[in-house]
Amino acid sequence: MLQNIRDNIQGTAAKVIIAIIIVPFALFGIDSLFNTSSQPPAASINGEKVSEAELQQAIAMQKRRLISVMGQQLDPAMLDDAVLRKPALDTLIKQQLLLQAADEAGIEVSDQQLNAVIAGMPQFQEDGRFSQDLYQQVLRLQGYSGALFKQMLRADLRIQQLSASVASSAFVTDADVDDAVAYLYETRGFHTVTVPLSKYENQVTVSEDELRDFYDANSARFQSQPKVKLSYLELNEEQFYQPVSEEQVQAEYENMVANLNTESEREAAHILLEINDEQSREQALEKLKDAEAKLMAGESFEALAKSLSEDVGSADDGGRLGFTRGDSFPPEFEEALVSLEPGQVSQPVETEAGLHLIKLLSIKEADTPSLDSMRLEITERLRRQKAQPELTAAVETLRDLVFNAEDLSMPAKELELEVKETDWLTEDADSELFSHERVKQAAFDAELRDQALNSDVFELSPERFLVIHVDAYQAPETLPFDEVKSDISAELKAEKAQALAVADAQEIEAAMAAGERAEAVAKARGLEWQASQSIRRTDISVEQDLRRFVFQMPLPEESGVSASTLHRQTGDYLVVQLRDHQAGQRAALDAETLASVRRSMNQNAASQAFASYFNILWNTAEISIN
């Protein structure tokens, strides 16, 4: 049974399912988890509502994802609800559209299928077996309850089935394959002559008058960066930390232990016989009765599972399924397991998958962590719990105070904070403050500066807040001529050298377009040339920019050549003479390569089919956003 489910979710679907554990990107069917009776919906899709609470949950999950992926490199501005709201809502709308389409198509996922998929996920396995402890730990770290995760996974499986059914309607014709082969396996032969910029740089000079004239005509280009001096106040959670007594730690520990999930875990094994067209219920039951007789005669359960069980996923391991806390298997299975003592085997139990003989292998009682092992974690949690309300209140007070204050001295006095000051800072200064884009923008905001206003209170992180005041501003100034002279000289020399190189490249291109051989043209000018034959678009022996340029050149007329010039990022010019070309031919490819081309085209066609299908859903849907 488990193996059958695994076989049906291979490929893209399986990858997406696994990705749910790594990157939480979906929320489905969670309206019932929130009290939304008094709130207008965030959006409505064909009459189905997306609640504001659901949207806020999606935003919160996006924040956790960003923090997990980017860590210290994360710009706090990216965590702004206003920034995350639209992409989170778009995702929920798209998911709702697809779920509605799955409903119309009658696509469902049973509890048995869902449990089987979860049991087979590598993220939840230890030593190749499903681990209930690991399952609970992973969900807890991602912020999921078991019920919410199963709702998300069920919805994702339904969407994957919908996607697969739409994609299966796509097809590729032989003519399409021929066109693709002609394009992908086309070859071109060409010669190149390199016109290096360095050859001309030593041939040009720039006079003092030219430098002066350029400086005077472009003085606006040679400006210093504006500078600011700031004062600022900072509030952070640690400022409100208070000592935590041993009595508080003890009380919190006892409360935590009282709320722990102390359910024991049961390790199960089974022998499964499916009921299908080839095997009736009566036949399966008769086989299990024979198995029971063999067990009574002393044959081992493990040996019988290997020889008899039709669950390929567990049979080779003696029928072992791993541990459960009562929610990993179908209800009938779990009920039978609870009634057993370690080593006992159940009577035949029927579930959606078929008929089982279930053996309880062992019982693992829940471990309760000691106070010593939890002391530091509890102390930190209590300190934060007490500090957070005080920080929140202080931030609101700070917002009120700085709004009307002339500077930061009065708010600092009221809140007993230290006014900190910076030295002169430019926009590209290596300052920790300017690692936050909103702080930098405020520092150079003309309105704040001109009206001597305090900035808003910025949330740099949930634990840290900042407000700034611009104390001094230094406007950009024209840099002295001597300071920028060398830069001007280099620029003018480069312009002159480039003009000479372009003129030579144009002459060479004209000669090669007329049919002159690259070798003769290059030797006459003391330049390098190179010949390339039968080059394909994917040939890494030729640099990517040159390959792209060559395959964009117009094809020469019959028995002729064409020429064009590529200006490379190095500043050099490359004159290219296209001499021949050959479209790819199906007959030149082996069977494996041809099959690979067709597979790739089928995948592209499937992607396009689903994209078109989704666009129809989107364009015909009645969507309203509040």
Side-chain angles (χ1 to χ4, degrees):
M1 174 269 296
L2 294 179
Q3 186 61 37
N4 290 340
I5 299 300
R6 295 185 187 107
D7 291 342
N8 289 328
I9 59 161
Q10 295 300 311
T12 302
K15 295 176 183 177
V16 174
I17 293 165
I18 293 171
I20 292 177
I21 307 301
I22 304 170
V23 181
F25 71 92
L27 286 170
F28 301 104
I30 60 173
D31 285 324
S32 61
L33 303 180
F34 304 99
N35 180 9
T36 61
S37 57
S38 61
Q39 282 187 316
S44 175
I45 306 97
N46 295 326
E48 295 287 337
K49 294 179 175 58
V50 173
S51 70
E52 184 65 30
E54 186 177 356
L55 175 57
Q56 291 304 315
Q57 181 76 352
I59 292 173
M61 287 189 173
Q62 283 200 15
K63 288 181 180 180
R64 286 201 295 272
R65 173 183 175 271
L66 287 170
I67 292 170
S68 174
V69 172
M70 302 189 67
Q72 297 297 322
Q73 303 300 317
L74 177 65
D75 180 356
M78 297 173 64
L79 299 178
D80 192 328
D81 282 9
V83 174
L84 295 176
R85 183 180 179 87
K86 185 179 186 304
L89 185 56
D90 284 347
T91 297
L92 290 175
I93 291 172
K94 292 173 183 177
Q95 292 163 347
Q96 186 60 246
L97 280 173
L98 292 172
L99 284 176
Q100 290 175 3
D103 287 339
E104 292 181 6
I107 296 173
E108 294 295 341
V109 174
S110 69
D111 291 341
Q112 187 72 14
Q113 290 173 316
L114 192 66
N115 290 330
V117 170
I118 293 173
M121 285 183 172
Q123 286 78 6
F124 302 145
Q125 292 185 351
E126 288 182 333
D127 299 326
R129 299 177 187 171
F130 177 79
S131 166
Q132 185 71 25
D133 281 341
L134 186 58
Y135 173 69
Q136 298 288 350
Q137 179 185 1
V138 172
L139 295 193
R140 186 168 57 251
L141 289 174
Q142 293 295 338
Y144 295 123
S145 67
L148 176 59
F149 173 73
K150 286 185 176 181
Q151 285 179 305
M152 291 167 52
L153 181 56
R154 187 191 303 275
D156 189 71
L157 286 169
R158 294 177 64 210
I159 289 176
Q160 289 304 313
Q161 290 185 34
L162 174 67
S163 173
S165 65
V166 173
S168 65
S169 67
F171 63 92
V172 176
T173 67
D174 287 343
D176 293 331
V177 175
D178 287 339
D179 289 342
V181 169
Y183 176 82
L184 293 171
Y185 291 90
E186 177 190 4
T187 60
R188 295 193 176 191
F190 57 92
H191 295 175
T192 59
V193 175
T194 302
V195 182
L197 190 61
S198 59
K199 174 183 176 182
Y200 305 92
E201 289 174 339
N202 296 328
Q203 299 177 13
V204 298
T205 59
V206 180
S207 68
E208 187 75 11
D209 289 342
E210 287 178 300
L211 295 174
R212 281 285 183 184
D213 289 345
F214 187 88
Y215 175 77
D216 293 340
N218 298 277
S219 58
R221 290 179 50 187
F222 307 113
Q223 300 288 307
S224 64
Q225 292 189 52
K227 297 179 181 180
V228 291
K229 280 188 176 182
L230 307 175
S231 56
Y232 64 97
L233 296 177
E234 185 176 2
L235 281 172
N236 62 66
E237 192 176 79
E238 293 182 2
Q239 293 169 329
F240 299 91
Y241 280 175
Q242 298 293 331
V244 176
S245 68
E246 179 63 22
E247 290 77 11
Q248 291 171 314
V249 173
Q250 180 70 39
E252 180 66 16
Y253 172 75
E254 292 174 357
N255 182 61
M256 183 196 73
V257 170
N259 288 283
L260 279 176
N261 184 354
T262 56
E263 293 182 5
S264 59
E265 294 181 70
R266 286 173 165 77
E267 186 182 13
H270 77 153
I271 296 171
L272 170 68
L273 293 180
E274 296 180 351
I275 300 172
N276 49 41
D277 294 339
E278 298 177 357
Q279 180 171 253
S280 67
R281 184 181 185 279
E282 290 72 20
Q283 290 172 323
L285 189 60
E286 188 65 30
K287 289 181 181 179
L288 288 186
K289 289 181 178 179
D290 289 343
E292 288 180 299
K294 291 178 181 179
L295 288 173
M296 293 292 293
E299 191 166 342
S300 74
F301 188 93
E302 291 76 10
L304 282 172
K306 289 181 180 181
S307 62
L308 185 62
S309 180
E310 293 173 357
D311 178 8
V312 180
S314 67
D316 287 343
D317 195 23
R320 288 177 179 269
L321 294 173
F323 285 90
T324 176
R325 284 184 176 172
D327 60 358
S328 298
F329 306 118
E332 304 91 340
F333 193 109
E334 295 285 0
E335 289 174 10
L337 192 63
V338 168
S339 68
L340 300 175
E341 295 295 330
Q344 281 188 331
V345 178
S346 72
Q347 295 295 310
V349 175
E350 185 169 358
T351 71
E352 183 181 297
L355 289 174
H356 311 253
L357 287 182
I358 302 169
K359 181 177 182 179
L360 176 61
L361 300 178
S362 65
I363 298 178
K364 182 167 63 176
E365 299 298 336
D367 294 329
T368 301
S370 68
L371 174 60
D372 287 341
S373 68
M374 297 296 296
R375 189 182 306 279
L376 289 178
E377 179 182 333
I378 293 173
T379 300
E380 180 68 15
R381 184 164 67 245
L382 290 175
R383 289 169 70 187
R384 297 194 67 182
Q385 287 175 353
K386 292 183 178 181
Q388 285 171 352
E390 295 185 34
L391 173 62
T392 301
V395 169
E396 292 306 312
T397 301
L398 179 62
R399 287 194 172 106
D400 292 339
L401 293 174
V402 301
F403 184 75
N404 294 313
E406 294 183 354
D407 55 26
L408 298 179
S409 57
M410 182 273 287
K413 183 177 180 181
E414 290 289 332
L415 292 173
E416 299 182 354
L417 298 174
E418 176 190 357
V419 178
K420 300 178 182 179
E421 297 178 345
T422 71
D423 201 349
W424 285 108
L425 298 174
T426 60
E427 288 184 318
D428 60 359
D430 185 18
S431 168
E432 190 273 336
L433 291 179
F434 284 1
S435 64
H436 305 277
E437 187 62 29
R438 290 178 299 165
V439 177
K440 182 191 295 187
Q441 291 174 358
F444 291 94
D445 185 282
E447 182 179 359
L448 290 182
R449 180 174 69 245
D450 295 341
Q451 299 184 31
L453 300 174
N454 296 318
S455 73
D456 293 334
V457 177
F458 299 113
E459 181 180 350
L460 305 186
S461 72
E463 299 82 28
R464 186 184 178 202
F465 297 81
L466 185 83
V467 58
I468 66 170
H469 184 88
V470 180
D471 296 333
Y473 174 75
Q474 189 176 97
E477 299 175 343
T478 301
L479 298 171
F481 172 73
D482 288 340
E483 190 172 325
V484 298
K485 178 179 178 180
S486 60
D487 293 335
I488 296 173
S489 177
E491 183 175 343
L492 292 181
K493 284 183 176 181
E495 288 181 359
K496 289 186 174 183
Q498 186 178 41
L500 293 175
V502 167
D504 272 6
Q506 290 173 342
E507 290 183 7
I508 294 171
E509 180 182 327
M512 292 171 66
E516 291 190 38
R517 296 186 63 82
E519 181 180 10
V521 173
K523 287 184 177 179
R525 290 169 172 78
L527 301 174
E528 294 182 356
W529 76 284
Q530 188 171 354
S532 299
Q533 301 296 329
S534 300
I535 300 300
R536 283 173 37 197
R537 298 173 193 274
T538 56
D539 195 332
I540 61 174
S541 66
V542 176
E543 293 171 298
Q544 184 178 20
D545 65 330
L546 176 55
R547 287 202 317 272
R548 185 183 299 115
F549 184 78
V550 167
F551 280 91
Q552 289 174 346
M553 288 178 64
L555 296 176
E557 296 180 3
E558 188 175 350
S559 71
V561 297
S562 64
S564 190
T565 301
L566 169 64
H567 187 195
R568 312 199 77 171
Q569 291 184 344
T570 59
D572 296 342
Y573 290 86
L574 201 64
V575 184
V576 182
Q577 184 185 55
L578 182 58
R579 301 186 63 84
D580 59 71
H581 69 96
Q582 177 65 50
Q585 299 293 324
R586 179 198 288 254
L589 303 181
D590 58 47
E592 183 177 349
T593 302
L594 190 61
S596 176
V597 172
R598 186 177 287 275
R599 280 196 302 272
S600 178
M601 294 184 68
N602 282 330
Q603 290 171 359
N604 290 337
S607 297
Q608 292 173 8
F610 187 77
S612 298
Y613 173 76
F614 181 80
N615 286 338
I616 293 173
L617 293 179
W618 183 274
N619 292 329
T620 57
E622 295 182 4
I623 300 173
S624 62
I625 298 175
N626 297 324

